[in-house]
Amino acid sequence: MKREVMWVKAMSNAQQSINSPSSKPNASAFLWNQHMMLNVNCRGYLIAQFMQPEPSKYAFAPNIEAKTFMQPEHPYFAHHPGRFFYIKDEASKTVFSVPFAPCNEALDKFKFTATPKQVIWQIEHLGFAIDLCLQLANDAPFEYWQISLADLTGQNRRVSVYSYFTLGYMSWMNQTANYYPDEDSIVAQYVTPYQKLSDYPKLKDTAQCTFLTSSHKPDSWCANQLSFEGVKGLHSPAGIQTVSLNNKPAFYETPVAIMQHRMKLSPKHQRRQFVFGPCHRSAEMASIRKKHVSLCEKAFSSTLAEHAPLAYENFQLQSRDAKFDDFINHWLPRQVYYHGDVNRLTTDPQTRNYLQDNIGMCFLRPSSARECLLRSLEQQFASGEMPDGILIHPEAELKYINQIPHSDHCIWLPLLLEVYLDQTNDTSVLHQMLAFQDSSEEKSLIEHIELALHWVLSKRDHRGLCFIEQGDWCDPMNMVGPKGKGVSSWLTLATATAIKVWIRLVNDYKVDVPKSDFAHSLRELQQAVIQHCWDGNWFARGITDDNELFGISSDREGRIYLNPQSWALLAGIDSDEYKSKMLMSVDQHLQTPFGNQMLAPCYTQMDERIGRVTQKFPGSAENGSVYNHAFAFWIYAMFTSGEADKGLLNLKEMLSAMHSEQAGQLPIYLPNYFRGAYTQFPETAGRSSHLFNTGTAAWIYRIVIEQLFGLRGCGKDLWLQPQIPSSMGNCDIRYRFRNADIHLKIEFGNTLTPKLEINGRMAKDLRIENVKEGEQYTLKLKLPNDKQKCHAKLILVCGVSGAGKSTLGQALAEKLGAVFIEGDALHAKEAIAKMAEGVALSEDDRAPWLARLQLTAAQKLAHGYDTVVSFSGLKAEHRALLMSINVNTKLVMLAPSESILQERLLSRKGHFFSPHLLASQLASLEMPSPSENTLVIDGGQQDNVQQLLHQMHDFIAKQTPNDE
């Protein structure tokens, strides 16, 4: 009973809010049930999808890909897709809208709150108090809305409330909308466009109506958007200027659902409920209204505290980082559960997505993961090949991306199986007999897995590298191997990882398999990648059909990719000969304050060697964004390769990006990406995609439980091998594992080795042996304090343009083995354009640039790198901003004569800086004071680079009081 109370309390605290509709205008929440899901932002724009059984819409926004439900960075339009309410003071005729759009008038008070079950707006404006709430029906694809109004002035004013629910452009074939007085409902009807006669039978029984019904009979209504809007637009629609709406239907005109309710207000709130959603025909409205209006009223009468504990809150953490705890306890498992509960609301999930999403479900509802494994393997081909999508509904068919052959689906099978077995010890699944998609012959799950691995191994070229076909995990890399010759280093490494995992399962779970030399295959794969894809500091991404290596240092764009480096470590290529170079290369070229980019530099034009990925906007999606799914692989690789401190830093960077102002979202889900192109479009880097469909969630949840806190099953036991630094502080964890309750306290202290107590008794090692269902285990784990670590050095190389900062800074970084940050690379495009035109930057122009420099340098230092930053540093306050990062800072000021500077600037090619700005820079230059720990290099020394490097190196190596 105590445990249940704790879970309810935890759930009731799960909410995130913002107090402005304009500071993060696309901040959003998402809700789902088994029939639908929706995404709603703070301004009132809302995208919804329901299943019948394929994904469908009932309110339509303009979209090139008409059937696409959620796009990254989804555009919103003045008219739709939205759910808005107009409020008109009948006495003053003043009109405004809630929650914000479409009038977009500044409100006196505003609060937008996301909770697991409801979305809530609390608004005060012009003496009105307005609460607006949204949640979903439990067992139908319907939205439930409630608006509640009260008068704060004591004047008992009269208002008209207009519910304005957009329907959009529903069909070019046939669309109407009308009011049905017997049901007090507006119903819009449309015909889904089709060209093929064969499509008609599939469409004729689908829901092709959208309705809005209310708890109270409306005083007037309108179903015709154009007649309501008039010529002034939705911020001042014609329909509201009159006493009543015009009760006008829409006949092959753009429909809308508007109801007017007149209300006399008092300090006590008056409420109206609305139900909105799809139906098959208007004749259904009587039964729908009778059932769901009462359910809607009941739904809003209950409070959060009355909700039952949520199924996904089975890992609860209390540490000194409240933001981290809140996300890990509530929002992350909610996102994981959504993916596994409704499979992203699709009937043919991509095989790779389906399997990876269920990695997360192993921790929350293992039966779903088991079902996923069995269903997937039943659709395997007898050859061992896996299909591109898994059909999870009898009427489903493979669509879109699942009609294009990709090469990676087999490798995710053992990765899911590993987590499932560790979480459940359900070895019976290994002996489950399953047939194939193209054969009735049954084989055990073990045989299915080995067939899958042998199939991937058979699809290799003469070098031993795996064919990529029209893409691997990176869908749009579709022109590398369509001729059947191109290969993927990532897929080769992922195959090696899958084999490595399978070998581990065979050994740990005593799997009886036919003798096969998978260990030899693992070595072959590792050696093939090392021999053919190592570029000196990192691994290439692949080799094209035309035998061109790409993702290498000689490429102008796409020089380095993240995935090959992550999976090289996961595949066991982790000797220091490769690992240290990969770590340094990733952090130098791919790391940003918002996480690691997927590739860099981003592609700016089509590269027909590689394909569609290069056509995406630089820094978006797979073209160099911080693609969090790939970043999660890197974080996982850090923990599994002995770099836990770096892994935790990376994890905190991902979560910090989610909280950042630049992201523009609520921290209630990990988006599939944050904008990248950090050195190409720094002003937009870090912007959230606002898309919560992502395999990131499952991997991060696994990392937190298995790697960070070290709670990992094996056989009958639960091992405890946390990888947390003492800086994280003591932690209190409650974890439900195999239906046993684990209460773990982690404390740091004066102990040389970790010590574990189980129910008050000292354990012989760091595990609970033979975990029993229904048991309660009280654990105390004492860990040694971390050893003190040395501080990295920060070296600032400053001077006016033409002083040689970049040349000397880069050379100095190479000599020191430090990372190099080129200040010019972090200027916004507008600032570069200004300087190119000969216009000096203002302090307002420089402020965001300096903030980016500070953020970037601080990140490199936190990761333990000596860091060289080249930037102008004209003013003492600019230098002080960067020097404030770290006490161990040295400043090198380059100060050639004006004549030397002029000569260099005039001869320099391809740089944006206008020589005409030199005079203004020299006038602004504040030479450093002795307190700035400075080496000044004048113009007479500029020509001998090596001599200068020695001089700078000696200065940096010299100890000062600040270095202690």
Side-chain angles (χ1 to χ4, degrees):
M1 190 66 176
K2 288 182 180 178
R3 172 169 60 80
E4 188 172 297
V5 170
M6 182 203 73
W7 252 260
V8 173
K9 183 179 179 182
M11 182 269 173
S12 67
N13 291 330
Q15 55 181 264
Q16 287 287 343
S17 303
I18 57 171
N19 295 309
S20 167
S22 53
S23 62
K24 294 182 176 181
N26 287 331
S28 63
F30 73 95
L31 302 172
W32 83 92
N33 61 29
Q34 292 295 313
H35 305 277
M36 69 173 296
M37 71 100 85
L38 59 77
N39 183 41
V40 57
N41 76 16
C42 63
R43 293 176 292 157
Y45 289 106
L46 190 152
I47 310 161
Q49 170 181 303
F50 76 107
M51 305 297 286
Q52 61 166 351
E54 295 295 343
S56 302
K57 290 186 174 69
Y58 51 91
F60 299 78
N63 194 324
I64 293 173
E65 294 183 74
K67 295 183 179 179
T68 300
F69 164 56
M70 274 296 290
Q71 296 173 195
E73 305 189 55
H74 198 289
Y76 297 98
F77 303 87
H79 298 79
H80 42 250
R83 317 286 189 265
F84 312 127
F85 292 83
Y86 290 95
I87 312 296
K88 181 171 76 171
D89 186 321
E90 296 284 14
S92 67
K93 309 303 180 187
T94 305
V95 176
F96 64 97
S97 62
V98 296
F100 183 62
C103 290
N104 300 324
E105 181 178 330
L107 302 167
D108 297 336
K109 288 186 179 180
F110 176 93
K111 187 176 183 181
F112 171 69
T113 302
T115 78
K117 291 289 187 182
Q118 287 187 356
V119 181
I120 304 162
W121 292 264
Q122 295 165 291
I123 294 160
E124 291 184 15
H125 193 56
L126 302 179
F128 297 109
I130 304 163
D131 292 343
L132 183 63
C133 299
L134 163 66
Q135 67 181 61
L136 300 184
N138 287 330
D139 62 350
F142 300 155
E143 303 170 26
Y144 288 173
W145 288 86
Q146 176 175 274
I147 187 167
S148 174
L149 297 94
D151 175 39
L152 300 177
T153 68
Q155 299 175 21
N156 295 330
R157 291 181 291 175
R158 292 183 178 274
V159 299
S160 278
V161 176
Y162 303 84
S163 50
Y164 183 93
F165 282 51
T166 64
L167 300 174
Y169 184 55
M170 303 180 82
S171 172
W172 55 260
M173 284 185 67
N174 191 328
Q175 57 180 7
T176 64
N178 209 339
Y179 177 69
Y180 291 77
D182 291 342
E183 289 81 33
D184 292 330
S185 304
I186 292 174
V187 181
Q189 303 179 64
Y190 61 97
V191 174
T192 301
Y194 65 95
Q195 301 289 343
K196 297 177 183 177
L197 185 61
S198 57
D199 288 339
Y200 174 71
K202 291 182 289 186
L203 293 172
K204 69 176 183 177
D205 293 324
T206 59
Q208 297 188 57
C209 295
T210 303
F211 72 87
L212 175 68
T213 190
S214 170
S215 58
H216 294 67
K217 187 178 186 67
D219 293 284
S220 65
W221 58 273
C222 181
N224 189 306
Q225 180 182 302
L226 183 60
S227 71
F228 173 79
E229 182 177 350
V231 297
K232 292 186 177 180
L234 288 185
H235 66 285
S236 182
I240 291 182
Q241 309 309 317
T242 56
V243 174
S244 299
L245 296 173
N246 59 14
N247 295 349
K248 187 169 184 178
F251 297 128
Y252 200 55
E253 297 158 297
T254 303
V256 70
I258 311 169
M259 293 182 177
Q260 178 186 14
H261 290 85
R262 291 197 179 96
M263 303 166 67
K264 183 178 179 180
L265 298 187
S266 67
K268 186 177 180 181
H269 278 265
Q270 293 194 44
R271 297 173 174 82
R272 296 290 185 271
Q273 290 83 29
F274 300 86
V275 181
F276 185 61
C279 65
H280 285 78
R281 55 195 64 86
S282 59
E284 296 177 325
M285 282 312 305
S287 59
I288 289 175
R289 188 176 190 282
K290 181 178 179 181
K291 176 180 179 180
H292 285 279
V293 167
S294 61
L295 287 175
C296 179
E297 292 172 343
K298 184 178 179 181
F300 291 113
S301 66
S302 57
T303 63
L304 281 178
E306 293 169 336
H307 284 294
L310 296 177
Y312 49 77
E313 292 186 324
N314 63 353
F315 179 90
Q316 296 289 298
L317 164 68
Q318 185 176 356
S319 73
R320 62 175 59 168
D321 188 339
K323 283 184 178 179
F324 183 82
D325 297 352
D326 182 61
F327 186 68
I328 300 305
N329 291 343
H330 309 301
W331 302 108
L332 178 59
R334 177 179 186 262
Q335 188 178 6
V336 171
Y337 194 79
Y338 150 73
H339 283 81
D341 191 36
V342 292
N343 301 298
R344 310 192 188 195
L345 227 67
T346 180
T347 58
D348 67 324
Q350 269 192 296
T351 304
R352 69 167 68 91
N353 291 342
Y354 188 46
L355 294 169
Q356 288 182 84
D357 288 346
N358 275 280
I359 285 175
M361 291 302 279
C362 292
F363 300 94
L364 304 177
R365 194 172 69 195
S367 60
S368 292
R370 191 182 203 275
E371 180 184 344
C372 166
L373 262 174
L374 299 180
R375 176 183 281 155
S376 299
L377 288 172
E378 283 174 334
Q379 296 179 42
Q380 184 182 28
F381 296 100
S383 64
E385 179 184 7
M386 291 296 292
D388 287 286
I390 302 299
L391 303 178
I392 61 176
H393 188 279
E395 298 176 33
E397 56 187 34
L398 297 181
K399 302 177 293 297
Y400 312 121
I401 196 70
N402 291 338
Q403 296 175 347
I404 298 170
H406 293 90
S407 55
D408 65 304
H409 300 299
C410 288
I411 65 104
W412 305 106
L413 291 164
L415 273 62
L416 170 57
L417 179 62
E418 177 184 36
V419 186
Y420 176 73
L421 288 177
D422 287 347
Q423 282 299 113
T424 65
N425 195 35
D426 174 22
T427 53
S428 67
V429 75
L430 297 170
H431 308 288
Q432 183 83 33
M433 300 301 290
L434 303 161
F436 297 88
Q437 181 174 158
D438 57 347
S439 171
S440 59
E441 181 186 2
E442 291 189 340
K443 290 184 179 292
S444 70
L445 184 140
I446 294 170
E447 293 172 295
H448 276 262
I449 296 288
E450 294 218 328
L451 275 171
L453 293 175
H454 282 300
W455 184 84
V456 182
L457 286 171
S458 72
K459 301 295 182 179
R460 291 185 289 166
D461 72 350
H462 62 282
R463 291 166 288 221
L465 299 169
C466 294
F467 292 119
I468 192 172
E469 297 191 14
Q470 290 187 47
D472 52 22
W473 178 84
C474 185
D475 289 334
M477 198 173 288
N478 62 335
M479 296 174 79
V480 174
K483 299 175 186 174
K485 298 178 182 178
V487 291
S488 164
S489 65
W490 171 81
L491 180 59
T492 309
L493 293 164
T495 303
T497 304
I499 288 173
K500 186 178 165 199
V501 166
W502 181 240
I503 291 171
R504 183 239 147 177
L505 294 179
V506 167
N507 293 332
D508 286 358
Y509 287 92
K510 309 295 188 291
V511 180
D512 185 15
V513 295
K515 191 169 175 101
S516 59
D517 198 357
F518 276 122
H520 176 70
S521 298
L522 173 60
R523 290 190 296 273
E524 278 188 338
L525 294 164
Q526 292 168 334
Q527 287 305 311
V529 174
I530 290 170
Q531 180 180 349
H532 299 289
C533 300
W534 180 246
D535 192 45
N537 290 300
W538 62 78
F539 286 103
R541 183 58 173 85
I543 304 173
T544 70
D545 275 331
D546 296 324
N547 203 33
E548 290 184 65
L549 203 62
F550 71 98
I552 56 176
S553 55
S554 59
D555 286 330
R556 187 179 68 86
E557 296 177 340
R559 297 174 67 237
I560 177 172
Y561 284 71
L562 180 61
N563 270 347
Q565 323 320 319
S566 306
W567 288 78
L569 296 172
L570 293 173
I573 306 177
D574 55 1
S575 64
D576 194 59
E577 176 186 2
Y578 301 105
K579 179 178 169 181
S580 60
K581 292 179 179 178
M582 284 190 288
L583 293 181
M584 182 82 166
S585 298
V586 167
D587 289 349
Q588 171 75 69
H589 300 293
L590 296 175
Q591 190 180 69
T592 82
F594 309 103
N596 290 356
Q597 294 181 182
M598 192 167 172
L599 61 88
C602 303
Y603 296 99
T604 58
Q605 59 187 2
M606 177 63 165
D607 186 335
E608 293 184 356
R609 301 176 308 154
I610 295 165
R612 193 166 63 94
V613 63
T614 68
Q615 294 180 295
K616 298 195 175 188
F617 187 80
S620 72
E622 296 90 345
N623 187 13
S625 74
V626 178
Y627 204 79
N628 281 320
H629 197 164
F631 189 25
F633 294 153
W634 175 258
I635 296 171
Y636 185 67
M638 293 301 93
F639 278 102
T640 58
S641 66
E643 301 290 336
D645 286 351
K646 182 178 281 292
L648 180 57
L649 273 171
N650 286 143
L651 175 60
K652 290 291 185 83
E653 285 160 6
M654 180 185 284
L655 302 190
S656 177
M658 181 182 59
H659 280 88
S660 74
E661 289 299 312
Q662 183 80 341
Q665 69 162 79
L666 285 177
I668 61 172
Y669 58 83
L670 291 167
N672 76 320
Y673 71 75
F674 299 107
R675 285 266 197 109
Y678 190 58
T679 60
Q680 293 163 294
F681 293 92
E683 60 270 41
T684 58
R687 184 181 295 174
S688 172
S689 70
H690 302 281
L691 178 55
F692 42 83
N693 286 342
T694 171
T696 311
W699 279 94
I700 294 299
Y701 201 53
R702 179 189 186 186
I703 288 165
V704 168
I705 294 174
E706 283 190 354
Q707 299 298 325
L708 181 61
F709 291 104
L711 295 160
R712 183 167 182 173
C714 184
K716 297 179 179 180
D717 306 335
L718 175 66
W719 285 87
L720 288 82
Q721 297 173 319
Q723 301 185 72
I724 58 175
S726 56
S727 60
M728 195 164 181
N730 296 343
C731 299
D732 193 311
I733 295 168
R734 294 179 183 269
Y735 182 38
R736 196 171 297 144
F737 175 78
R738 298 182 188 172
N739 290 320
D741 287 338
I742 313 294
H743 183 191
L744 167 65
K745 288 181 178 287
I746 299 176
E747 297 176 353
F748 290 89
N750 297 321
T751 179
L752 296 177
T753 58
K755 292 183 172 59
L756 175 65
E757 286 183 13
I758 304 175
N759 295 335
R761 295 185 177 183
M762 192 65 65
K764 61 182 179 182
D765 52 24
L766 300 179
R767 62 173 163 163
I768 306 173
E769 293 185 275
N770 196 19
V771 176
K772 291 184 171 57
E773 182 175 340
E775 287 290 311
Q776 294 190 355
Y777 297 90
T778 302
L779 312 179
K780 183 181 288 187
L781 179 62
K782 195 163 188 179
L783 299 175
N785 287 311
D786 299 337
K787 294 180 181 177
Q788 197 67 28
K789 295 180 181 178
C790 299
H791 290 290
K793 292 184 176 68
L794 173 63
I795 302 100
L796 307 179
V797 182
C798 300
V800 299
S801 190
K805 303 183 296 296
S806 299
T807 302
L808 284 172
Q810 179 76 65
L812 180 62
E814 290 175 4
K815 186 175 182 66
L816 295 173
V819 297
F820 176 64
I821 300 171
E822 169 57 81
D824 283 348
L826 296 179
H827 274 301
K829 288 286 181 284
E830 292 86 349
I832 291 172
K834 261 190 172 184
M835 289 185 280
E837 292 170 3
V839 179
L841 298 183
S842 67
E843 287 302 296
D844 286 344
D845 294 328
R846 290 192 183 98
W849 170 63
L850 290 166
R852 283 191 286 270
L853 274 175
Q854 184 186 39
L855 196 61
T856 305
Q859 182 182 35
K860 305 300 183 193
L861 292 162
H863 279 264
Y865 294 108
D866 288 343
T867 302
V868 178
V869 179
S870 76
F871 82 117
S872 52
L874 301 179
K875 294 194 174 184
E877 64 182 288
H878 299 167
R879 301 190 293 267
L881 184 68
L882 267 74
M883 296 177 86
S884 67
I885 301 170
N886 194 347
V887 294
N888 196 0
T889 304
K890 303 289 174 70
L891 170 63
V892 177
M893 177 61 74
L894 305 178
S897 67
E898 185 171 357
S899 60
I900 292 174
L901 291 167
Q902 283 283 9
E903 181 182 341
R904 288 180 183 169
L905 290 175
L906 290 171
S907 63
R908 189 162 63 176
K909 305 291 184 186
H911 196 279
F912 60 79
F913 187 83
S914 170
H916 300 298
L917 290 176
L918 178 60
S920 68
Q921 282 206 331
L922 289 171
S924 301
L925 177 60
E926 298 172 4
M927 289 300 290
S929 65
S931 64
E932 289 184 83
N933 199 8
T934 308
L935 171 67
V936 177
I937 298 174
D938 63 31
Q941 301 169 278
Q942 288 289 313
D943 294 331
N944 192 333
V945 173
Q946 289 305 315
Q947 181 182 336
L948 286 176
L949 286 176
H950 283 299
Q951 185 180 352
M952 293 160 73
H953 184 271
D954 291 344
F955 165 69
I956 291 160
K958 183 180 178 182
Q959 292 291 312
T960 68
N962 284 342
D963 295 334
E964 299 302 322

